[in-house]
Amino acid sequence: MSVSLTPQFPSLAQRITPLQLLRPDGTLVGGAEAPLDDVRLQDALRLMMLSRAVDDKGVSLQRQGRFGTFSTVKGQEASVVGSAVALDPSRDWVVPQYRELPALLRQGLPLEHFILYYQGHPAGGRIPEGVRLLPIQISIAAQLPHAVGLAWGLALQGSDAVVLAYFGDGASSEGDFHEACNLAGVVRAPVIFFLQNNGWAISTPRSRQSSARTLAERAPGYGFDGVVVDGNDLFAVYAATSQAVERARAGRGPTLIESQTYRFGAHNTADDPTRYGHGDTLSGWIERDPVTRVQRYLAARGQWSDEIEVQVRHGIAATIDGALAAARSVPPPAAADLFTHTYAELTPRQVRQLRQLSTTPAAAEGR
Amino acid sequence: MIEAIRDALRGEMTADERVVLVGQDIGRFGGVFRATDGLHAEFGERRVFDMPLAEGAIIGSALGLAISGLRPVAEIQFLGFTHQAFHQIVSQVARMRYRSQGRFPASVVIRAPFGGGVKTPELHADAIESQYAHVPGLKVVAPSSPREAKGMLLTAMRDPDPVLFCEPLRGYRLMKEDVPSESYTLDIDKVRIVREGTDVTLIAWSAAVDLASRAADALLSEGVRAHVVDLRSIAPLDVDGLIAAAERTGRCVVIHEAPLTAGFGAEVAATISCEAFYALQAPVERVTGPDAPFPLAGAEQIYLPDVSQVVAAARRTLAAS
């Protein structure tokens, strides 16, 4: 039950007992019941595998110069998917940072939008009407006050919607994290602060963010509960998030969930994790791979096999190819894309600047 | 003026139940300047919120409230304190419409007073409006009188884009005029000609419009007829209105309280120089605060531009060619 999830900080890990339901070998912890049935679990697994396939494809395209700098989810799939599937996309909202692709897809964002975004096309920022999702957030923790305002505003208007905001261990050091948690506690906003502690903020280890034993234990200071979960255990993440959703929906306010996980890859495609000891504990974490854990569980129940896996992988490859093709069919950015949506209506000066920029060689080439 | 602002808030809260107020001490206390006096009693706890003392959370959550479908009006007690929400205003509120490609307009009004003349403690008077004029996606307006304040605030509250509404601190109590009791809007993105003149154009916004008008009175006693222009909005800037006013006389003085270097007067002077160059009879003059922090109260009269400086600058433009 008590697994060392932060081996880079063994002295801390000894005192942490995160919620775990599914062991790395795919067996249930004694007495635990699976919170998801096999059908829903297979859906979740497919989403985790799709996420990892997009990561691999994205890195390969980035190396070919066909994709911009981006951050992979790899290693954190159970953390993102387990929390996302606890939401009801027809009423609940996701407020992302930038490492939560499967949650965006689960809310209904078309994969081609994500691809366009990381190919540097302004149109990639578009979120279709009805998709309850805020844009990818680059400014660390800046989305957290938005999530509180959104949750609070929805509640004021009589909705029973819940807002789940993603952020990381580094973000927990930002003033916006503190201000958002504090406000959420005061107004009892139906918001879930989902902290993915993946051990690193680029190269800075978790121990440099806070001397608190866990990041979740800050929550009582804001007047609500904090829980620590094994972030590589889909069941544990799902169960903890479901409880937080139930609490928020019932008007009992926010929850801080610290999901302890590990980033398998670099911070992003511009990072070199060999420079800061990221690999020292990586093998231990790979043994706790969130994807194989679920596959082992399902296999033991006769619900997963090499044949099924091949089938699923085919489907995923087709999905990605389709999204890449859809992204390719979007015309390249034009000068108008610099200005459209900056204001409801362009200012006279913008109109003039647009006219000037439309005649430059770059605009003519459509780059 | 403070009554005119309260009148605008009350009118729009009555007309549009989506309007909510957030800020520090705006509830039962009615705001440090009483802009929201009585609104908590009238509209209740669900429309007027006393917020924790955190500017970033006030602005950041206001953006979330807007996305939820409400029309938040945030009060920051002093414009100088908006630096504690600078990242939320500049990187978040101003960009949300663009970042989401039109899905999430940030219909947020941020009210904040600024300017000297009432002997406030440090940082309370800082005129930092030009820092926000540099931010695409944000509108920055600064009314110069009670009648203007009411109409401009009502207009700002109906604007689909975020508006930083900079109120002249010393006008709260000192500026008095009759204000229509009904709700009305104004062209806040168009300059206002405060008085017509033919000899020199005085360009200002906020409290400096009053200074310009007093300088115009002094100039008139010398037989000089000044054309006084209130920009109303510094972002976006009404370029056509500004150029027309500059061409009217060919001699321009721009006036603001903020320090000279990279103050908004620089943008005004550059715009006139580029677009009205052949109508100019003299270099554009700037009368501004010095490149020094706004001082403690005992020194503020030395710091603030005054009538004599404006008159001297106008005379310099008249002396040229």
Side-chain angles (χ1 to χ4, degrees):
Chain A
M1 183 87 182
S2 177
V3 266
S4 166
L5 284 162
T6 50
Q8 67 270 46
F9 319 115
S11 62
L12 295 179
Q14 281 163 8
R15 287 178 286 168
I16 302 166
T17 310
L19 174 68
Q20 189 186 67
L21 299 177
L22 192 61
R23 296 194 191 93
D25 65 3
T27 60
L28 283 169
V29 168
E33 274 183 45
L36 284 165
D37 64 32
D38 289 350
V39 174
R40 291 186 70 193
L41 186 57
Q42 278 169 337
D43 286 346
L45 174 58
R46 185 183 179 281
L47 192 52
M48 292 164 78
M49 291 173 65
L50 171 63
S51 170
R52 191 164 291 190
V54 173
D55 280 350
D56 292 343
K57 187 79 184 178
V59 170
S60 133
L61 289 174
Q62 194 274 337
R63 300 298 185 235
Q64 301 164 41
R66 293 159 65 198
F67 218 64
T69 301
F70 89 111
S71 296
T72 59
V73 183
K74 201 168 183 171
Q76 303 179 214
E77 291 91 345
S79 180
V80 181
V81 173
S83 48
V85 297
L87 301 175
D88 171 4
S90 71
R91 56 177 158 170
D92 299 328
W93 287 74
V94 162
V95 177
Q97 189 84 71
Y98 51 68
R99 199 191 296 282
E100 298 90 16
L101 167 66
L104 316 190
L105 299 177
R106 155 85 180 169
Q107 288 298 106
L109 186 78
L111 180 56
E112 58 263 34
H113 288 227
F114 179 85
I115 290 169
L116 277 171
Y117 180 86
Y118 281 105
Q119 286 177 339
H121 199 305
R126 198 170 69 79
I127 297 166
E129 209 56 50
V131 174
R132 291 171 179 79
L133 175 71
L134 295 201
I136 285 171
Q137 179 62 253
I138 300 302
S139 186
I140 300 298
Q143 74 278 21
L144 301 179
H146 312 165
V148 176
L150 174 58
W152 179 30
L154 291 168
L156 283 170
Q157 293 168 86
S159 161
D160 68 349
V162 172
V163 177
L164 185 142
Y166 288 104
F167 59 108
D169 42 315
S172 75
S173 299
E174 289 274 11
D176 272 340
F177 165 74
H178 160 70
E179 293 191 14
C181 285
N182 189 51
L183 175 61
V186 169
V187 301
R188 300 186 72 72
V191 63
I192 299 165
F193 296 100
F194 194 88
L195 192 169
Q196 295 199 75
N197 173 4
N198 67 11
W200 300 95
I202 304 187
S203 73
T204 307
R206 153 68 179 86
S207 58
R208 284 279 164 182
Q209 300 300 341
S210 168
S211 66
R213 197 169 49 123
T214 72
L215 298 173
E217 69 194 23
R218 290 170 161 189
Y222 301 114
F224 51 86
D225 286 345
V227 295
V228 182
V229 297
D230 173 355
N232 286 19
D233 174 354
L234 187 87
F235 282 168
V237 173
Y238 173 80
T241 311
S242 296
Q243 237 177 33
V245 168
E246 199 180 310
R247 183 179 302 153
R249 229 189 277 299
R252 286 184 282 128
T255 306
L256 171 61
I257 299 175
E258 177 183 351
S259 171
Q260 295 186 338
T261 181
Y262 202 77
R263 193 185 80 203
F264 282 5
H267 160 66
N268 64 23
T269 47
D271 177 34
D272 174 6
T274 63
R275 293 174 63 89
Y276 51 82
H278 166 271
D280 299 352
T281 51
L282 181 59
S283 62
W285 281 92
I286 287 174
E287 281 167 25
R288 290 195 285 272
D289 187 310
V291 179
T292 52
R293 196 183 299 201
V294 173
Q295 289 170 338
R296 285 172 184 155
Y297 169 81
L298 282 171
R301 296 169 64 81
Q303 301 293 323
W304 193 256
S305 62
D306 291 348
E307 293 74 41
I308 299 175
E309 181 160 342
V310 168
Q311 241 177 4
V312 168
R313 285 190 189 283
H314 273 301
I316 285 171
T319 300
I320 295 174
D321 287 346
L324 284 166
R328 269 196 301 277
S329 75
V330 175
D337 290 313
L338 301 181
F339 299 97
T340 309
H341 305 305
T342 51
Y343 293 97
E345 283 177 45
L346 267 55
T347 68
R349 252 190 176 168
Q350 286 182 313
V351 171
R352 227 197 305 176
Q353 291 166 357
L354 171 56
R355 214 178 302 131
Q356 287 161 355
L357 285 177
S358 299
T359 64
T360 62
E365 277 177 43
R367 340 180 353 245
Chain B
M1 175 179 279
I2 203 76
E3 291 80 7
I5 289 164
R6 189 186 310 135
D7 214 20
L9 293 171
R10 179 182 287 119
E12 199 60 6
M13 290 184 80
T14 305
D16 184 349
E17 63 176 23
R18 297 172 303 164
V19 176
V20 295
L21 309 184
V22 292
Q24 287 158 26
D25 307 310
I26 65 166
R28 284 192 299 176
F29 187 54
V32 285
F33 293 103
R34 309 291 182 270
T36 57
D37 195 24
L39 300 182
H40 181 267
E42 188 173 345
F43 296 100
E45 191 69 43
R46 297 173 68 84
R47 303 283 300 278
V48 183
F49 301 105
D50 273 327
M51 296 289 278
L53 205 168
E55 287 79 3
I58 291 173
I59 302 303
S61 67
L63 176 54
L65 289 168
I67 292 168
S68 83
L70 297 173
R71 299 293 301 247
V73 179
E75 176 176 304
I76 300 293
Q77 292 183 337
F78 298 90
L79 190 64
F81 299 176
T82 60
H83 276 150
Q84 279 172 288
F86 197 69
H87 65 302
Q88 285 292 343
I89 298 172
V90 171
S91 313
Q92 303 301 322
V93 171
R95 281 185 189 228
M96 188 51 88
R97 176 189 287 275
Y98 180 72
R99 183 178 293 148
S100 66
Q101 293 287 289
R103 170 80 189 278
F104 301 119
S107 309
V108 177
V109 174
I110 302 166
R111 298 178 37 246
F114 76 116
V118 289
K119 303 200 182 301
T120 50
E122 200 198 348
L123 293 170
H124 289 60
D126 286 26
I128 56 171
E129 71 274 25
S130 71
Q131 297 174 7
Y132 293 104
H134 198 59
V135 181
L138 191 63
K139 293 181 175 176
V140 183
V141 304
S144 59
S145 79
R147 186 188 294 249
E148 287 282 298
K150 179 173 175 181
M152 285 173 66
L153 183 54
L154 281 161
T155 311
M157 286 192 280
R158 295 171 195 177
D159 198 295
D161 293 311
V163 181
L164 179 61
F165 196 83
C166 305
E167 300 169 0
L169 186 51
R170 71 172 169 276
Y172 274 169
R173 305 265 180 261
L174 294 176
M175 290 180 182
K176 294 184 192 304
E177 68 179 337
D178 286 335
V179 173
S181 58
E182 72 279 6
S183 288
Y184 57 96
T185 58
L186 294 169
D187 286 333
I188 59 174
D189 52 355
K190 295 276 183 288
V191 303
R192 176 176 70 109
I193 306 303
V194 180
R195 75 164 79 180
E196 299 275 348
T198 51
D199 299 329
V200 60
T201 301
L202 307 181
I203 301 153
W205 55 94
S206 187
V209 172
D210 177 60
L211 171 60
S213 294
R214 284 185 284 120
D217 289 340
L219 287 163
L220 192 59
S221 67
E222 301 176 11
V224 173
R225 282 164 301 174
H227 193 59
V228 179
V229 184
D230 176 0
L231 290 186
R232 279 184 172 159
S233 166
I234 61 169
L237 175 64
D238 174 11
V239 175
D240 291 347
L242 172 65
I243 295 308
E247 288 177 339
R248 175 74 175 260
T249 67
R251 302 170 201 275
C252 298
V253 180
V254 55
I255 307 154
H256 60 67
E257 276 185 35
L260 176 82
T261 302
F264 196 73
E267 181 61 40
V268 171
T271 301
I272 293 170
S273 300
C274 289
E275 309 204 17
F277 184 76
Y278 296 104
L280 287 182
Q281 305 293 323
V284 177
E285 285 282 341
R286 288 184 279 169
V287 177
T288 72
D291 288 345
F294 196 93
L296 295 181
E300 73 174 4
Q301 287 312 320
I302 309 169
Y303 184 95
L304 288 167
D306 64 13
V307 169
S308 73
Q309 289 168 294
V310 178
V311 168
R315 282 189 195 132
R316 285 195 296 276
T317 68
L318 290 158
S321 65

